[in-house]
Amino acid sequence: MAVVFVHGVGNHEETETKKVQAFRRDLFSRFLLPVINVVPRDDAVLLPWWGKEGAQRRWGNACRPGIKESLGTASDASVVQLLAAAEPPESGRTHNVVLDTARDSLADAVDLLYSALDIENCSSDELAALADLAVPLASYCEQHPQFDPTDHFWDNVRDDASLIEALVDAGREPAPHKEQLGTRAARDRVSRLFGPTARRLRIALVGTPVRLSAGGLRRLTDKRVQPFLGDVFKYLALRGTPEHPGKIIEIVLDDLRAAVAGAPGREPLVVVAHSMGGNIVYDIASHFDPELVIDVLVTVGSQVGLFAEFSAFQGVPCDLPNPDRRKVPACTNIRSWINVVDRSDILCYCAEPVFEGVQDHLYASGTLWAHAGYFEQPNFYSWIAKSVQVAMK
């Protein structure tokens, strides 16, 4: 029993999901397991994949208005936040997007690089090297939050490429008994991965007015909102009952129970749930298995508050709020509940005004499409680890 991560909507393709999940498992293992005193092992981080039971487009998306163009890759979506505020590059001048970001916030620059990585085309060794680098980089960013020209880190930083080299070097600062990033080969491999990422960011900056058009915004949001609505509709229609749970409930509940059953002794159960995953976990805790004890629940970019507003949870009384009780009673089997809210995430909602026993925490991911950005950022994993550590005290 340790960490269970429940994903959100749109994770329908197994080949894509496996690689992303492996990378997230590595990051959870490096950031979260140490703060709850769990020794890494194969079953210490479980990631139930319920997306295979998600909604499928029966008419092949024929209902979508005809838009032949595509916004591009997921990397494009992750950097659109730069476009609204960015100054057009001066004629003949190379615009160093990552460096310009780093001078305002080194942490934002690191998260920007990770958010724009082409994870699907990375090998397992490359993803492991990136995960190895994430922890020392997040620690370095915490120690150096502001740009300081007297810091030797900046001595040879002149552009995005030299900044990447400096970041990789900072991530290799040795711990008492271990060199964090490993061999020179690993260092070079990570540098090569970040190089094309910086170039994609720079290219994305050109043509700002076009990319911020209404059509561009539709292309950006459509491929996210559609899977969200489809998976929500299918889940609500087929979630079943405690005696006969639907497939999605079964998949997530099986891993939650396996986490408890497989624990050597009494380890804490920490559940991190993104978006629709938060609704599924709350449904399980409040209705499908109220005996399951969750030590810390972290809902991220979730709609638990919205679902409760619309009486979509079977475990929430429909007569609330009333003069005698203003909020939904706390689930006694959830010992601590943190709800992460990013104001730039159009699909996330507060929970504290609706539920007892939950605290809303604001987190600024710094991305326009924040809903998909949280779990690509090393500094967010670091933030979760610190929040869980506090909650466990």
Side-chain angles (χ1 to χ4, degrees):
M1 176 163 55
V3 176
V4 178
F5 174 76
V6 184
H7 68 76
V9 300
N11 293 270
H12 299 158
E13 300 297 326
E14 183 175 12
T15 54
E16 295 178 2
T17 301
K18 279 186 174 180
K19 186 166 285 189
V20 172
Q21 284 195 334
F23 191 43
R24 286 178 178 169
R25 180 180 283 109
D26 275 352
L27 291 172
F28 277 121
S29 295
R30 286 163 171 77
F31 281 100
L32 197 49
L33 293 185
V35 304
I36 59 175
N37 297 317
V38 172
V39 176
R41 58 180 190 276
D42 290 344
D43 63 345
V45 180
L46 300 180
L47 297 93
W49 178 42
W50 61 266
K52 61 184 176 181
E53 297 295 334
Q56 302 297 326
R57 298 177 176 89
R58 295 174 60 194
W59 276 266
N61 210 24
C63 66
R64 184 176 182 236
I67 302 175
K68 295 182 180 180
E69 298 178 36
S70 169
L71 183 63
T73 65
S75 299
D76 290 324
S78 69
V79 302
V80 173
Q81 78 277 7
L82 294 171
L83 307 181
E87 295 290 337
E90 298 172 6
S91 178
R93 173 178 172 267
T94 300
H95 201 76
N96 291 292
V97 178
V98 186
L99 177 57
D100 290 347
T101 303
R103 293 193 188 281
D104 288 329
S105 169
L106 194 59
D108 285 350
V110 169
D111 287 342
L112 184 61
L113 281 169
Y114 271 82
S115 296
L117 280 167
D118 187 5
I119 292 177
E120 294 302 329
N121 288 318
C122 292
S123 69
S124 297
D125 287 344
E126 289 169 341
L127 291 177
L130 288 163
D132 282 337
L133 179 61
V135 175
L137 268 188
S139 176
Y140 189 87
C141 291
E142 186 177 5
Q143 297 167 29
H144 303 81
Q146 302 296 327
F147 171 66
D148 180 3
T150 65
D151 186 347
H152 291 303
F153 173 90
W154 299 98
D155 285 351
N156 298 310
V157 174
R158 298 291 180 267
D159 51 23
D160 284 353
S162 57
L163 173 63
I164 289 169
E165 290 295 323
L167 287 171
V168 174
D169 283 339
R172 295 181 72 247
E173 291 181 355
H177 302 291
K178 179 183 178 182
E179 187 178 1
Q180 294 286 354
L181 187 57
T183 65
R184 173 77 189 189
R187 173 186 180 277
D188 292 341
R189 186 161 60 244
V190 170
S191 297
R192 287 196 299 271
L193 289 170
F194 281 142
T197 296
R199 288 193 292 274
R200 285 197 300 273
L201 291 167
R202 188 160 55 249
I203 292 169
L205 191 61
V206 179
T208 298
V210 175
R211 286 177 176 266
L212 291 178
S213 67
L217 185 61
R218 174 64 187 256
R219 290 192 295 274
L220 172 64
T221 59
D222 215 29
K223 57 186 177 183
R224 273 89 181 172
V225 173
Q226 278 191 23
F228 174 78
L229 293 175
D231 284 351
V232 169
F233 293 157
K234 184 169 183 181
Y235 171 76
L236 292 176
L238 301 176
R239 62 183 162 181
T241 65
E243 296 76 21
H244 302 286
K247 289 289 187 182
I248 293 176
I249 291 288
E250 275 190 344
I251 290 169
V252 177
L253 189 51
D254 283 350
D255 268 14
L256 289 171
R257 288 173 174 168
V260 176
R266 177 65 178 99
E267 292 175 348
L269 174 59
V270 177
V271 179
V272 181
H274 178 223
S275 185
M276 187 62 191
N279 307 323
I280 295 169
V281 172
Y282 182 81
D283 230 357
I284 288 173
S286 64
H287 182 67
F288 285 89
D289 189 357
E291 301 300 318
L292 177 74
V293 176
I294 299 174
D295 292 274
V296 182
L297 171 62
V298 183
T299 48
V300 181
S302 190
Q303 307 82 36
V304 182
L306 182 68
F307 271 46
E309 292 251 22
F310 292 144
S311 301
F313 289 122
Q314 294 166 311
V316 174
C318 293
D319 62 343
L320 294 175
N322 59 51
D324 296 323
R325 193 147 206 169
R326 302 305 302 167
K327 296 184 180 182
V328 178
C331 284
T332 57
N333 54 325
I334 301 177
R335 293 177 174 172
S336 182
W337 179 6
I338 299 166
N339 183 57
V340 181
V341 179
D342 187 332
R343 289 195 179 98
S344 63
D345 181 354
I346 64 172
L347 293 178
C348 93
Y349 294 85
C350 295
E352 192 172 337
V354 178
F355 296 90
E356 297 174 356
V358 58
Q359 286 187 319
D360 289 333
H361 289 257
L362 294 179
Y363 183 87
S365 65
T367 61
L368 177 62
W369 188 254
H371 196 67
Y374 303 99
F375 295 100
E376 296 171 349
Q377 301 184 348
N379 287 286
F380 184 63
Y381 286 88
S382 178
W383 183 89
I384 285 183
K386 292 182 177 67
S387 300
V388 169
Q389 191 171 32
V390 171
M392 296 289 295
K393 291 181 179 178

